[in-house]
mmCIF file of all heavy atoms in Angstrom:
data_model
loop_
_atom_site.group_PDB
_atom_site.id
_atom_site.type_symbol
_atom_site.label_atom_id
_atom_site.label_comp_id
_atom_site.label_asym_id
_atom_site.label_seq_id
_atom_site.Cartn_x
_atom_site.Cartn_y
_atom_site.Cartn_z
ATOM 1 N N VAL A 47 -10.517 -34.785 35.221
ATOM 2 C CA VAL A 47 -11.912 -34.346 35.246
ATOM 3 C C VAL A 47 -12.256 -33.627 36.541
ATOM 4 O O VAL A 47 -13.032 -32.654 36.531
ATOM 5 C CB VAL A 47 -12.908 -35.505 34.971
ATOM 6 C CG1 VAL A 47 -12.706 -36.073 33.586
ATOM 7 C CG2 VAL A 47 -12.841 -36.591 36.018
ATOM 8 N N ASN A 48 -11.675 -34.062 37.656
ATOM 9 C CA ASN A 48 -11.959 -33.392 38.922
ATOM 10 C C ASN A 48 -11.375 -31.984 38.966
ATOM 11 O O ASN A 48 -12.005 -31.056 39.486
ATOM 12 C CB ASN A 48 -11.464 -34.227 40.097
ATOM 13 C CG ASN A 48 -12.347 -35.436 40.352
ATOM 14 O OD1 ASN A 48 -13.480 -35.501 39.887
ATOM 15 N ND2 ASN A 48 -11.830 -36.396 41.087
ATOM 16 N N VAL A 49 -10.192 -31.802 38.409
ATOM 17 C CA VAL A 49 -9.578 -30.471 38.385
ATOM 18 C C VAL A 49 -10.344 -29.550 37.434
ATOM 19 O O VAL A 49 -10.606 -28.383 37.760
ATOM 20 C CB VAL A 49 -8.076 -30.549 38.023
ATOM 21 C CG1 VAL A 49 -7.492 -29.180 37.763
ATOM 22 C CG2 VAL A 49 -7.312 -31.251 39.144
ATOM 23 N N ILE A 50 -10.728 -30.050 36.278
ATOM 24 C CA ILE A 50 -11.514 -29.239 35.335
ATOM 25 C C ILE A 50 -12.847 -28.832 35.959
ATOM 26 O O ILE A 50 -13.263 -27.670 35.864
ATOM 27 C CB ILE A 50 -11.721 -29.991 34.008
ATOM 28 C CG1 ILE A 50 -10.407 -30.093 33.242
ATOM 29 C CG2 ILE A 50 -12.785 -29.295 33.148
ATOM 30 C CD1 ILE A 50 -10.454 -31.017 32.031
ATOM 31 N N GLY A 51 -13.511 -29.785 36.616
ATOM 32 C CA GLY A 51 -14.776 -29.464 37.284
ATOM 33 C C GLY A 51 -14.603 -28.428 38.380
ATOM 34 O O GLY A 51 -15.430 -27.521 38.534
ATOM 35 N N SER A 52 -13.519 -28.526 39.131
ATOM 36 C CA SER A 52 -13.240 -27.547 40.189
ATOM 37 C C SER A 52 -12.984 -26.163 39.601
ATOM 38 O O SER A 52 -13.450 -25.154 40.141
ATOM 39 C CB SER A 52 -12.022 -27.992 41.006
ATOM 40 O OG SER A 52 -12.293 -29.186 41.682
ATOM 41 N N LEU A 53 -12.268 -26.115 38.499
ATOM 42 C CA LEU A 53 -11.994 -24.843 37.819
ATOM 43 C C LEU A 53 -13.292 -24.189 37.339
ATOM 44 O O LEU A 53 -13.529 -22.998 37.574
ATOM 45 C CB LEU A 53 -11.054 -25.073 36.635
ATOM 46 C CG LEU A 53 -10.694 -23.854 35.806
ATOM 47 C CD1 LEU A 53 -9.777 -22.930 36.588
ATOM 48 C CD2 LEU A 53 -10.029 -24.286 34.509
ATOM 49 N N ILE A 54 -14.143 -24.977 36.705
ATOM 50 C CA ILE A 54 -15.418 -24.442 36.203
ATOM 51 C C ILE A 54 -16.302 -23.966 37.346
ATOM 52 O O ILE A 54 -16.875 -22.866 37.287
ATOM 53 C CB ILE A 54 -16.149 -25.503 35.353
ATOM 54 C CG1 ILE A 54 -15.365 -25.804 34.074
ATOM 55 C CG2 ILE A 54 -17.571 -25.050 35.012
ATOM 56 C CD1 ILE A 54 -15.848 -27.027 33.310
ATOM 57 N N LEU A 55 -16.408 -24.766 38.395
ATOM 58 C CA LEU A 55 -17.250 -24.375 39.519
ATOM 59 C C LEU A 55 -16.704 -23.143 40.229
ATOM 60 O O LEU A 55 -17.463 -22.248 40.613
ATOM 61 C CB LEU A 55 -17.401 -25.542 40.502
ATOM 62 C CG LEU A 55 -18.507 -25.422 41.532
ATOM 63 C CD1 LEU A 55 -19.857 -25.167 40.874
ATOM 64 C CD2 LEU A 55 -18.569 -26.685 42.370
ATOM 65 N N GLY A 56 -15.383 -23.061 40.363
ATOM 66 C CA GLY A 56 -14.773 -21.861 40.940
ATOM 67 C C GLY A 56 -15.075 -20.626 40.109
ATOM 68 O O GLY A 56 -15.365 -19.557 40.645
ATOM 69 N N ALA A 57 -15.029 -20.782 38.785
ATOM 70 C CA ALA A 57 -15.337 -19.654 37.897
ATOM 71 C C ALA A 57 -16.800 -19.231 38.027
ATOM 72 O O ALA A 57 -17.106 -18.035 38.027
ATOM 73 C CB ALA A 57 -15.012 -20.024 36.452
ATOM 74 N N LEU A 58 -17.697 -20.193 38.146
ATOM 75 C CA LEU A 58 -19.114 -19.855 38.333
ATOM 76 C C LEU A 58 -19.333 -19.055 39.606
ATOM 77 O O LEU A 58 -20.059 -18.061 39.609
ATOM 78 C CB LEU A 58 -19.965 -21.119 38.384
ATOM 79 C CG LEU A 58 -20.293 -21.791 37.075
ATOM 80 C CD1 LEU A 58 -21.021 -23.103 37.334
ATOM 81 C CD2 LEU A 58 -21.126 -20.890 36.200
ATOM 82 N N VAL A 59 -18.708 -19.499 40.667
ATOM 83 C CA VAL A 59 -18.858 -18.789 41.948
ATOM 84 C C VAL A 59 -18.202 -17.413 41.860
ATOM 85 O O VAL A 59 -18.748 -16.422 42.332
ATOM 86 C CB VAL A 59 -18.286 -19.625 43.109
ATOM 87 C CG1 VAL A 59 -18.281 -18.837 44.409
ATOM 88 C CG2 VAL A 59 -19.085 -20.917 43.270
ATOM 89 N N GLY A 60 -17.035 -17.349 41.214
ATOM 90 C CA GLY A 60 -16.358 -16.064 41.042
ATOM 91 C C GLY A 60 -17.150 -15.092 40.198
ATOM 92 O O GLY A 60 -17.056 -13.880 40.359
ATOM 93 N N ALA A 61 -17.949 -15.628 39.294
ATOM 94 C CA ALA A 61 -18.791 -14.779 38.444
ATOM 95 C C ALA A 61 -20.090 -14.417 39.154
ATOM 96 O O ALA A 61 -20.956 -13.796 38.556
ATOM 97 C CB ALA A 61 -19.092 -15.501 37.135
ATOM 98 N N ALA A 62 -20.205 -14.825 40.414
ATOM 99 C CA ALA A 62 -21.385 -14.535 41.230
ATOM 100 C C ALA A 62 -22.638 -15.157 40.631
ATOM 101 O O ALA A 62 -23.708 -14.576 40.679
ATOM 102 C CB ALA A 62 -21.549 -13.036 41.455
ATOM 103 N N ALA A 63 -22.493 -16.358 40.062
ATOM 104 C CA ALA A 63 -23.638 -17.070 39.493
ATOM 105 C C ALA A 63 -24.293 -17.931 40.561
ATOM 106 O O ALA A 63 -24.596 -19.086 40.335
ATOM 107 C CB ALA A 63 -23.181 -17.919 38.308
ATOM 108 N N HIS A 64 -24.484 -17.378 41.743
ATOM 109 C CA HIS A 64 -25.101 -18.122 42.842
ATOM 110 C C HIS A 64 -26.578 -18.323 42.528
ATOM 111 O O HIS A 64 -27.296 -17.377 42.256
ATOM 112 C CB HIS A 64 -24.971 -17.358 44.162
ATOM 113 C CG HIS A 64 -23.555 -17.086 44.543
ATOM 114 N ND1 HIS A 64 -22.718 -18.064 45.000
ATOM 115 C CD2 HIS A 64 -22.827 -15.947 44.515
ATOM 116 C CE1 HIS A 64 -21.538 -17.539 45.256
ATOM 117 N NE2 HIS A 64 -21.586 -16.255 44.965
ATOM 118 N N GLY A 65 -27.005 -19.574 42.616
ATOM 119 C CA GLY A 65 -28.408 -19.864 42.378
ATOM 120 C C GLY A 65 -28.778 -19.686 40.921
ATOM 121 O O GLY A 65 -27.938 -19.466 40.059
ATOM 122 N N GLY A 66 -30.025 -19.815 40.654
ATOM 123 C CA GLY A 66 -30.529 -19.585 39.323
ATOM 124 C C GLY A 66 -30.238 -20.711 38.348
ATOM 125 O O GLY A 66 -29.723 -21.765 38.692
ATOM 126 N N GLU A 67 -30.576 -20.444 37.133
ATOM 127 C CA GLU A 67 -30.503 -21.439 36.088
ATOM 128 C C GLU A 67 -29.081 -21.856 35.735
ATOM 129 O O GLU A 67 -28.808 -23.028 35.506
ATOM 130 C CB GLU A 67 -31.217 -20.939 34.820
ATOM 131 C CG GLU A 67 -32.713 -20.795 34.964
ATOM 132 C CD GLU A 67 -33.127 -19.496 35.651
ATOM 133 O OE1 GLU A 67 -32.321 -18.550 35.732
ATOM 134 O OE2 GLU A 67 -34.269 -19.456 36.143
ATOM 135 N N VAL A 68 -28.151 -20.913 35.691
ATOM 136 C CA VAL A 68 -26.776 -21.240 35.311
ATOM 137 C C VAL A 68 -26.139 -22.163 36.334
ATOM 138 O O VAL A 68 -25.484 -23.153 35.980
ATOM 139 C CB VAL A 68 -25.926 -19.959 35.123
ATOM 140 C CG1 VAL A 68 -24.466 -20.305 34.891
ATOM 141 C CG2 VAL A 68 -26.471 -19.120 33.988
#
Side-chain angles (χ1 to χ4, degrees):
V47 297
N48 286 343
V49 170
I50 290 170
S52 295
L53 179 71
I54 294 168
L55 195 55
L58 282 174
V59 173
H64 301 287
E67 293 81 18
V68 173

